Each structure stands twice: as C-alpha cells, then as structure tokens.
Amino acid sequence: MTESTKHNLSFFIRILVSALFIVSAIAKLYPSPYFAISTFEVKQLYPLGFSEQLAPFFSRILIGIELGLGLLLLQRRLLRILVLPATILLLLVFIIHLSIETFGSGGNAGNCGCFGELIPMTPIEAIIKNVVTVILLAVVYKITPVRNERQDNFWYLCSIVLASILALFMLAPIQPIAAENQENQAVDTLTVDNPVLPAETVPVNADTIKTAAKVKDTVAVAEKPKAPAAKKSGYASYFRDIDSGKKLFCLFVPGCEHCKDAARDLTNLKKKNKDFPDIRIVFMNEEADLIPAFFEYAGAEYPYKVIEIIPFWKLLGQGRDTPGVKYLWNGNEYIFFDGINDNQFSAKALEKVISETDKKYK
C-alpha cells in the first residue's frame, strides 16, 4: 500500500468515525436536550452510581467530549499521541459498561441511548458498533505516518474540547432540583365505613350451623364478584384514588412526541367509551412548561403530578422507557405498556384487555 493510499484511507476512516461521533452527540439532544440528556443519564450514568446532583454535570461533559473528539479526528495535531488513543479508550469504556449491563442482567431490551431517541439502538447493537469503530481507529493508528507531534499545540485541542463542553451546557442548562408540584384537579376518594348494627341473639344449635354453612356455600357459588378484590398498587402517594375503580396510571414526559400521541389516543378512547378508566398522569420534571401544550395536543386535561428525573425513572422501572401506560382496577395491574418497541402502547390492545377483564365480572 502506497503512502498516498494510506493517507487517503486514513482520512476517509477519520471522516466516517468523526461523523459517527458528531451525530451521536447531536442525537443525544433529540427530541429535546433536557429529555434526551436525562434519558442518557438514567441509562448510562445512574447504574454506575452517579448521584442526581453529579449526573447532569458529568453527562454534559461526556457528551461535550464526544463532540470534541469527533471534531479533533478531522485534524492531524497530536493525532497518534492523544486523539486516537483517547477516542479508543472512550469507546472501550462504553463497550465494557454496556457488556456488563447487558450480559450481567441477561437482557438486550430497550434503547441504550447512544443515539438518543433519534436512532433507537439496543445494547448489543451499540456494542457491535463500538467494536467496529475501535477496529477502524486501530487501522488508522497503524497506517498513519509517524511524525513529530510533540511540537503540536496541545492547548489548541483543549480549546476545541472545552468549547464543545461549553456548548452542551449552553444548549441544555442544568435545572435546579425543584420540589414536586401539587397534583392538578386531583380527585380524592372518600371512604365511608359501613355502620355496624346490633345483632339479634338467636339460639344456636348444630342444625342451625349446618344450614347456615349450606346457604353460605350456595350464595358463594351463585354470586359472581362485580369487581376484583381491592389491592394496593403502591401509587397512592401520587393519587389517593388510584386504587379505587378503573384507572390508567401514565408516565409521560411533557416534550416527548410518543407520550403526546399516547395521551391523544387515550382521549379518543375516552370519548368513545363512557365507562373508560379515569386517567392519571405522572410527568417527568423536564420542560414542565410544556404541560399545557401537552394537554392541548392530547385534547383533554387530566389530573397529574410532576416528579424529578431519578424518581420518575425508578417509578417507570428498570429496562422500561416512555411512554408508560398501566391499566389498574382496584389497584390490580392488568397490563403495562412502555417504550416504542415491542411493548409500546396500543389503543386496540388496551381496549381488548379492558373488555376481557370486564367479562370476568359481568
């Protein structure tokens, strides 16, 4: 291979990998910087033990470094000494982390967040992508001519990386942790104990006991319960009436397009069916100012609460993604939709589950 061919091949691979890094960094800002970055924090940083206070800073720094390395791959300063090794090291860290999370938990479900919500990618796909990229960069390192890079300006590279990190903080300023908002239009359940009437004193003998037992068994067989037995769902701290009757417990993000579509589908179902379950929503505290626009798009307003990022994702559950829609009846869970993949919300599937559960108690 001639030197000219090596130079052209090296430059082509660097352009390819640079585009991959830049697109990956920008994609983490879709559909909105707050939602995308918070998703990245939950899926990549919180499992590593980062606190709610530290994760927002580190996530922006990490994405800024990713953007900066993408730009640095297009130039030659300190390419073999610093840029290529640093890029390979970053990829190896992600490969190890994703491998531990994927094979350790025995699952490959959900979007790993490498390209945000713009390009959903499973952890296995992300690992393969990163391994191929490491191989390409190793080829670049091998064929790039050795030159005296120690005379290159180190601060030139630092300026590009710092500017990239600063750009991330400007695009997505860190929001202060706020207290949970009070629920809007929440309906409280009033429980009235049945009065206990004094019982008459009746002489009891063996025949009376046998007759009473037979009557009780006959009634138990003949009568069919009209609703499932009451159960605690664990969500009463959000809505006090959540375990009373039919409810849809929804976990949405105000700026998430898929969440807005799910809410609009629920509104359409509610308009068609008067006996449709009541809707309760928990919003993640990212772009909470978009909640009015969210309800305008949905076509109706529903009782809601706003909670912080970490509690929201914990409430949604590990391995799950937004939008989350859970059908409850007297606190009993019958189906839980989440994400935009195989288990995504479906109006037809929800109607089918509601219809099937209704038949059991009619």
Side-chain angles (χ1 to χ4, degrees):
M1 186 181 296
T2 64
E3 291 299 322
S4 176
T5 303
K6 289 181 180 180
H7 173 77
N8 292 335
L9 179 60
S10 172
F11 188 58
F12 173 76
I13 294 176
R14 283 191 287 130
I15 290 176
L16 185 65
V17 177
S18 171
L20 186 68
F21 268 66
I22 293 172
V23 170
S24 177
I26 295 175
K28 289 186 177 71
L29 306 180
Y30 175 86
S32 72
Y34 296 109
F35 173 63
I37 291 179
S38 63
T39 303
F40 175 76
E41 291 167 8
V42 170
K43 298 193 174 193
Q44 303 294 345
L45 301 184
Y46 295 151
L48 296 178
F50 283 87
S51 66
E52 186 177 0
Q53 291 74 27
L54 183 59
F57 288 94
F58 192 81
S59 62
R60 287 158 176 80
I61 292 173
L62 191 60
I63 297 171
I65 291 174
E66 183 179 29
L67 177 61
L69 287 174
L71 296 173
L72 291 178
L73 285 170
L74 297 175
Q75 54 85 57
R76 296 187 60 188
R77 293 179 179 87
L78 296 173
L79 185 63
R80 295 184 87 255
I81 292 179
L82 182 60
V83 176
L84 288 174
T87 308
I88 292 173
L89 179 61
L90 182 65
L91 289 170
L92 289 176
V93 169
F94 277 116
I95 290 172
I96 294 172
H97 167 61
L98 288 171
S99 299
I100 293 174
E101 287 297 311
T102 303
F103 300 109
S105 61
N108 184 41
N111 178 15
C112 70
C114 294
F115 287 94
E117 297 295 311
L118 183 63
I119 307 175
M121 181 174 286
T122 66
I124 293 293
E125 291 172 341
I127 292 171
I128 295 172
K129 181 261 297 181
N130 289 341
V131 169
V132 171
T133 306
V134 167
I135 294 173
L136 290 175
L137 291 175
V139 171
V140 172
Y141 187 89
K142 180 72 175 177
I143 65 177
T144 299
V146 179
R147 50 183 289 270
N148 186 12
E149 296 181 350
R150 297 188 182 277
Q151 297 180 354
D152 291 340
N153 190 340
F154 172 76
W155 295 108
Y156 171 82
L157 276 65
C158 289
S159 299
I160 293 177
V161 175
L162 290 174
S164 300
I165 294 173
L166 180 62
L168 263 295
F169 278 91
M170 293 176 65
L171 287 171
I174 296 176
Q175 296 180 326
I177 298 175
E180 290 184 6
N181 293 352
Q182 295 297 320
E183 66 191 59
N184 179 40
Q185 302 174 352
V187 181
D188 296 332
T189 302
L190 179 61
T191 303
V192 181
D193 294 331
N194 292 326
V196 180
L197 301 177
E200 294 184 12
T201 304
V202 180
V204 179
N205 53 43
D207 292 335
T208 304
I209 295 174
K210 290 180 181 179
T211 303
K214 289 180 179 180
V215 171
K216 183 178 179 181
D217 292 339
T218 304
V219 172
V221 173
E223 290 185 358
K224 188 177 182 181
K226 296 180 179 180
K231 182 180 178 182
K232 292 183 178 180
S233 64
Y235 305 132
S237 59
Y238 300 99
F239 304 102
R240 279 174 284 183
D241 67 337
I242 195 68
D243 296 334
S244 175
K246 301 175 184 178
K247 297 290 189 296
L248 286 173
F249 186 72
C250 306
L251 294 130
F252 293 151
V253 180
C256 169
E257 295 298 326
H258 300 293
C259 298
K260 291 163 67 176
D261 289 339
R264 186 169 60 178
D265 289 343
L266 291 175
T267 299
N268 292 334
L269 290 175
K270 196 168 182 63
K271 289 178 179 178
K272 291 193 306 180
N273 184 0
K274 294 181 180 180
D275 192 35
F276 195 74
D278 293 330
I279 298 170
R280 302 288 183 264
I281 300 175
V282 172
F283 284 114
M284 185 172 74
N285 190 17
E286 289 289 358
E287 298 184 307
D289 58 304
L290 296 179
I291 291 177
F294 182 99
F295 284 133
E296 183 178 355
Y297 183 88
E301 294 187 12
Y302 303 104
Y304 72 91
K305 288 198 84 171
V306 181
I307 64 175
E308 296 302 328
I309 298 171
I310 295 179
F312 178 88
W313 288 106
K314 287 182 177 178
L315 184 63
L316 184 62
Q318 187 175 6
R320 295 187 179 274
D321 210 339
T322 54
V325 178
K326 181 177 292 191
Y327 174 46
L328 305 170
W329 190 355
N330 286 352
N332 297 272
E333 178 183 323
Y334 288 96
I335 194 166
F336 190 0
F337 301 99
D338 79 284
I340 57 173
N341 295 315
D342 295 339
N343 195 42
Q344 66 180 342
F345 171 74
S346 165
K348 290 183 178 179
L350 177 60
E351 283 185 305
K352 182 179 179 181
V353 171
I354 293 175
S355 176
E356 289 176 349
T357 53
D358 283 348
K359 290 178 181 178
K360 293 181 181 180
Y361 301 101
K362 286 186 179 180

